[in-house]
Amino acid sequence: MDIVVIMVDAWRADALDITDATGARLRVARRLDDWIRFDRYCAAAPWTLPACTSLFTGTDSQTHRHYSHEHVLGHASLLELLADHHRVAVINNSVLTRTSGLDAGFDEFRYTPDVEAAFDLALEVLQAPGAEPAPPGAGAGVPPRFVFFHTNVVHDYYQPASRAYVERYQPERGNYFDIRYRVLAWRDLTPEQVPGMRATYDACVLRLD
């Protein structure tokens, strides 16, 4: 059986039920109506590297203490439990590149800093021939896949690339501005700019959807 894990970096829980320009709920939110949903799940750390390390090792951040690429990851990856799968990672955040140590256990580990290119890579992997039963006497056949896809499309709402998403998905708002460093503390914002921060964030969620 194929397994797909999609990690959306910095997606807030209260941004799951926003609506698009027509008033429709997110497609992801509608799908979750029939899925098992864990509303009290919390990230093991407030930033990407230790949080993803916890995901792949099953340990909390105070145990693995994997906060930088200079630290050698000393815990086994849960990917060892999927040795019968073809394991592929498509990564869109530079802190998760091979030097993070989280590539252990993957058969393919692909990184791109480009948000749109990351989706293209993920689709390329998912659209490749999947697991097929081998005919009698033909050997093992095609193994099932484990695909981990990480996207920064929501995380990077403060980057200039988000302007295109605002203009496409929320053109009526008309309050886009170049956020950049202001994301760190929301300093130097005018009262008119504050709503634009959330509008830009929500536009990136709509692009994700």
Side-chain angles (χ1 to χ4, degrees):
M1 179 179 67
D2 288 344
I3 301 171
V4 180
V5 175
I6 302 173
M7 175 173 285
V8 183
D9 208 311
W11 192 0
R12 294 167 55 103
D14 63 1
L16 180 61
D17 293 318
I18 65 174
T19 58
D20 62 20
T22 68
R25 292 174 66 210
L26 297 177
R27 286 174 292 182
V28 171
R30 296 199 299 269
R31 288 173 180 159
L32 287 177
D33 291 339
D34 298 323
W35 291 0
I36 297 173
R37 177 170 168 172
F38 299 93
D39 287 319
R40 291 187 296 172
Y41 179 88
C42 296
W47 67 284
T48 305
L49 180 58
C52 285
T53 302
S54 291
L55 178 70
F56 282 111
T57 64
T59 60
D60 63 67
S61 59
Q62 287 298 306
T63 298
H64 63 66
R65 305 186 70 81
H66 190 50
Y67 306 132
S68 76
H69 289 200
E70 296 178 356
H71 175 265
V72 177
L73 181 59
H75 296 269
S77 171
L78 296 177
L79 288 174
E80 294 179 2
L81 302 176
L82 297 169
D84 59 334
H85 284 63
H86 183 68
R87 297 157 293 185
V88 183
V90 177
I91 303 299
N92 187 216
N93 188 310
S94 61
V95 304
L96 300 180
T97 52
R98 286 187 180 278
T99 57
S100 70
L102 297 184
D103 63 324
F106 281 103
D107 301 299
E108 298 180 51
F109 199 83
R110 307 185 187 184
Y111 164 71
T112 175
D114 185 271
V115 165
E116 300 292 330
F119 280 93
D120 291 339
L121 278 175
L123 285 173
E124 177 184 318
V125 171
L126 293 172
Q127 292 172 352
E132 300 173 358
V142 180
R145 292 167 299 185
F146 172 80
V147 180
F148 175 69
F149 173 48
H150 173 282
T151 174
N152 248 27
V153 63
V154 176
H155 175 284
D156 288 350
Y157 77 97
Y158 56 91
Q159 299 285 6
S162 64
R163 179 171 190 164
Y165 305 148
V166 173
E167 292 174 348
R168 177 174 178 179
Y169 297 104
Q170 296 187 329
E172 74 285 353
R173 299 294 291 267
N175 55 356
Y176 173 82
F177 67 99
D178 193 2
I179 299 173
R180 301 208 197 203
Y181 72 91
R182 296 179 181 87
V183 73
L184 297 176
W186 286 43
R187 294 174 180 168
D188 305 321
L189 293 178
T190 67
E192 294 76 23
Q193 288 175 325
V194 172
M197 294 280 276
R198 185 54 192 259
T200 301
Y201 180 93
D202 287 350
C204 292
V205 172
L206 291 168
R207 177 56 181 162
L208 164 75
D209 195 55

